């Protein structure tokens, strides 16, 4: 029997669209210099903690891949794989829209036009199960996106998780992966 591994989710570093409070979704927006420094700072922090990390994976979007490669360069890990299921929640024609200053119905209209929350959660759970099964008993760093992480972790924990900051680390309760079955409705109001 394999010993359970450890999985942590990391939101990619900052992009110009994050800074401008634009909805990125699946649009491939690159990191900015601040985002690269966030990734380096996080990697130094992870190295100083002394925990063992065996595997590094990410979303295939450039901002996640670049964040992962920066972290891996400092920790001595190669990017092992990208998982399509880790792509950020899609918002179609609303990608690039500014959310700054939008409240109430205007904000909800844009967010509700995106990929359904249930679909994002299913993808997130599928990705985590696949990562767990691909790397049993290993310590895995997973670089992904804010809405995907928040919605997936909310489902796993059975309560709404707050907004995820750039380069924030969110541990995954791997024991909950087998039981998660879209238990509740996750609010969109804090997205992305």
């Amino acid at each position: 029997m394999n010993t359970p591994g450890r999985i942590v989710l990391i939101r990619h570093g900052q992009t110009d669209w994050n800074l401008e409070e634009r909805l990125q979704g699946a649009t491939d927006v690159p990191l900015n210099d601040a985002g690269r420094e966030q990734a380096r700072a996080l990697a130094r922090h992870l190295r100083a903690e002394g925990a063992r990390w065996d595997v590094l994976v990410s979303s295939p979007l450039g901002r996640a891949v670049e964040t992962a490669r920066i972290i891996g360069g400092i920790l001595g890990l190669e990017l092992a794989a990208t998982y399509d299921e880790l792509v950020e929640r899609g918002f179609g024609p609303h990608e690039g829209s500014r959310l700054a200053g939008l409240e109430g119905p205007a904000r909800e209209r844009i967010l509700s036009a995106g990929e359904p929350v249930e679909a994002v959660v299913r993808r997130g759970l599928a990705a985590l199960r696949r990562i767990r099964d691909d790397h049993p008993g290993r310590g895995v760093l997973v670089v992904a996106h804010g809405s995907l992480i928040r919605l997936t972790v909310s489902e796993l924990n059975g309560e709404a998780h707050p907004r995820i900051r750039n380069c924030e680390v969110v541990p995954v309760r791997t024991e909950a992966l087998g039981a998660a079955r879209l238990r509740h409705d996750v609010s969109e109001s804090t997205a992305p």
Side-chain angles (χ1 to χ4, degrees):
M1 179 176 183
N2 289 323
T3 58
R6 229 172 7 126
I7 299 173
V8 298
L9 293 163
I10 299 168
R11 183 181 180 196
H12 62 79
Q14 184 186 75
T15 69
D16 286 343
W17 280 20
N18 290 141
L19 195 58
E20 297 165 2
E21 294 186 50
R22 291 185 184 275
L23 195 57
Q24 291 180 114
T27 300
D28 209 355
V29 180
L31 294 181
N32 61 22
D33 289 340
R36 291 179 189 98
E37 182 50 39
Q38 289 170 336
R40 286 189 288 272
L42 173 59
R44 290 189 297 266
H45 174 76
L46 290 170
R47 186 176 60 196
E49 280 186 332
R52 179 177 163 196
W53 296 106
D54 306 303
V55 180
L56 176 64
V57 300
S58 81
S59 153
L61 292 179
R63 58 191 182 266
V65 169
E66 186 177 4
T67 300
R69 287 190 172 137
I70 291 168
I71 292 168
I74 292 172
L75 296 181
L77 293 171
E78 293 290 324
L79 180 60
T82 61
Y83 290 80
D84 290 341
E85 301 98 319
L86 293 173
V87 168
E88 180 61 296
R89 180 181 182 194
F91 290 96
H94 293 292
E95 292 184 11
S97 297
R98 283 183 176 266
L99 292 178
L102 286 182
E103 295 183 19
R107 183 178 178 89
E108 289 303 317
R109 186 176 63 253
I110 288 174
L111 295 176
S112 65
E115 180 182 5
V117 169
E118 296 79 14
V120 177
V121 170
R122 277 190 201 93
R123 280 196 297 109
L125 292 173
L128 291 176
R129 289 180 181 125
R130 219 175 117 206
I131 291 164
R132 176 200 60 196
D133 294 347
D134 288 351
H135 307 286
R138 314 289 304 272
V140 186
L141 298 171
V142 180
V143 182
H145 307 274
S147 290
L148 178 123
I149 294 171
R150 184 182 61 78
L151 295 171
T152 303
V153 170
S154 293
E155 187 63 36
L156 282 174
N157 294 341
E159 61 186 21
H161 193 283
R163 183 179 174 154
I164 312 293
R165 295 179 319 275
N166 291 107
C167 281
E168 182 176 343
V169 175
V170 180
V172 173
R173 291 183 29 232
T174 53
E175 71 280 2
L177 281 173
R181 298 278 186 263
L182 296 178
R183 294 182 287 242
H184 67 284
D185 184 35
V186 179
S187 170
E188 294 188 278
S189 62
T190 57

